[in-house]
Amino acid sequence: VMSFAGSSRFGAGALTQSLVLPGPGRTFDLNGYGGGTQPNARRAALTSLVGASSSSLLHRAYAGMQADAFAVGARLSTLLSQAPSGSGAADADNPELSAAFGHLSGAMANDLARQLYQVAKMIKHRTTVGGDRHLFFVSLGGFDHHDNQLALHAPLMRTLGDSLAAFYRATQALGVAESVTAFTESDFGRTFKPNSSGGTDHAWGNEHLVIGGAVRGGASYGAYPSLLLGGPDEAGKDVWEFQGRWIPGLSVDQYAATLTRWFAPELGGRLTQILPNLDRFPTQDLGFMQA
C-alpha cells in the first residue's frame, strides 16, 4: 500500500500502514547520510547499529523496520526522482508516461497529476517495486465549498477529469489498462440547496467514479435521487432540515465489496470479515467490474 498524498487511513490496518512516498523529481533517502551513493560516516554508524545483534525484542523489531526502510529507499529512490524536465520536455526514462501526462506542463501542472504520474511509474516498474498487487492512494482536496462554489468547483472537476484521463492513457500505453482500476472516495456529499454564501454544506449521498479497462463503463449504477427537497430521498424529516441531503441508494460496503472481488477474488465468502455490514444489503456485487 503506497500513498503519494501523505499519511492516510486508506490501506491502514492492524498489520499494515501505507508507505508514504514523494512526488516526481524528489529524492527518497536519508538526508545528510550520503544519499546512499557513497560512504558516509553517519550512514555507516547507523547501518552498524541497525545490523547489531541484540537480545531485545524491541531492538530487533525496530532494527528490522529500519533495515526494510533502507532497502525500500535504495530500490525506489532513482525511480521516484524520474520526471519531465519542467520546461515541457519529456521524461527521458519514461517517455510514454510523460506523453500521456503532457509532460506535467500546462493543464497537467497540478498536484493530482503529479501524484498519478508517480503511480504510473510504480506500475511500469512493478518488478523493481516488488510484490504482486498494489494499492495506491492519491488525493485532491479543496471541495469543502461553503461559499462561492460556482467559481471554485468547476476548476477542481477539470483538474480531476484531466488527471484521471491522463492516468488512463498511461495505463493504455503500458498495456495494463485491464489490470488497473482507479476509483474515487470521499467523506461526504454536499447539500442540493445552496446556503446564503453561494456554497453548499455537508450532506450524505454522493456519486463516485470508477475508471479502468476492467470496468463496465458508460453507465450509472444505483438509482439517481429525485432532487426534490422533502421528497422520498431526503434525509431530513422537518421542513428546516430539507436541504437535499440524499439518502444513499447504495452503500460503501457494496462499493468496496465489488472492487475487492475484482482485486482479490480468492477472498470469496470471507468478504464479511473485512466488511462486517455487508450482509445487511441484498446485493453484494454491484456488477460494474468484469471478472
Side-chain angles (χ1 to χ4, degrees):
V1 182
M2 297 174 227
S3 171
F4 290 99
S7 297
S8 167
R9 292 186 178 182
F10 181 81
L15 301 176
T16 60
Q17 183 64 47
S18 298
L19 175 64
V20 179
L21 298 170
R26 301 281 299 277
T27 58
F28 185 64
D29 211 333
L30 290 169
N31 292 328
Y33 284 79
T37 59
Q38 60 186 3
N40 177 285
R42 295 171 67 193
R43 181 61 176 264
L46 186 56
T47 301
S48 177
L49 286 171
V50 169
S53 61
S54 173
S55 60
S56 168
L57 290 175
L58 181 61
H59 177 274
R60 292 204 300 269
Y62 180 77
M65 293 174 61
Q66 192 67 69
D68 287 345
F70 288 164
V72 171
R75 194 166 71 247
L76 300 185
S77 183
T78 299
L79 174 59
L80 289 165
S81 66
Q82 296 169 355
S85 68
S87 58
D91 175 354
D93 297 296
N94 305 283
E96 74 281 54
L97 302 183
S98 190
F101 279 88
H103 313 306
L104 295 180
S105 61
M108 291 291 99
N110 67 75
D111 189 52
L112 180 60
R114 292 174 64 82
Q115 293 174 56
L116 288 169
Y117 190 74
Q118 293 295 68
V119 173
K121 285 193 296 177
M122 296 293 104
I123 294 170
K124 176 182 176 180
H125 300 283
R126 54 196 177 276
T127 302
T128 299
V129 174
D132 59 357
R133 276 176 287 195
H134 302 98
L135 286 167
F136 302 98
F137 178 76
V138 299
S139 178
L140 176 64
F143 285 94
D144 198 10
H145 298 144
H146 291 276
D147 54 31
N148 200 26
Q149 182 166 324
L150 287 179
L152 298 173
H153 189 72
L156 280 172
M157 292 302 292
R158 176 66 182 268
T159 294
L160 177 65
D162 287 348
S163 300
L164 286 175
F167 179 70
Y168 183 65
R169 289 194 298 269
T171 64
Q172 289 179 308
L174 294 175
V176 297
E178 301 289 330
S179 302
V180 179
T181 299
F183 63 94
T184 61
E185 58 172 9
S186 178
D187 293 339
F188 45 76
R190 313 295 300 183
T191 55
F192 182 61
K193 182 180 179 179
N195 59 29
S196 60
S197 300
T200 54
D201 300 319
H202 298 177
W204 191 4
N206 206 346
E207 293 184 78
H208 289 288
L209 306 175
V210 187
I211 302 165
V215 178
R216 293 188 175 98
S220 295
Y221 293 81
Y224 205 75
S226 65
L227 305 183
L228 176 66
L229 299 182
D233 299 308
E234 176 70 74
K237 67 175 183 177
D238 297 320
V239 173
W240 66 269
E241 295 179 292
F242 295 161
Q243 304 293 321
R245 294 181 172 91
W246 313 128
I247 299 172
L250 301 172
S251 72
V252 291
D253 305 78
Q254 294 168 290
Y255 185 45
T258 305
L259 289 163
T260 304
R261 287 181 190 276
W262 170 81
F263 186 68
E266 71 276 9
L267 285 175
R270 293 181 292 157
L271 275 176
T272 52
Q273 294 178 21
I274 57 174
L275 299 166
N277 292 319
L278 186 59
D279 283 342
R280 296 174 180 267
F281 303 98
T283 303
Q284 296 187 0
D285 189 335
L286 300 178
F288 59 76
M289 297 300 299
Q290 302 179 52

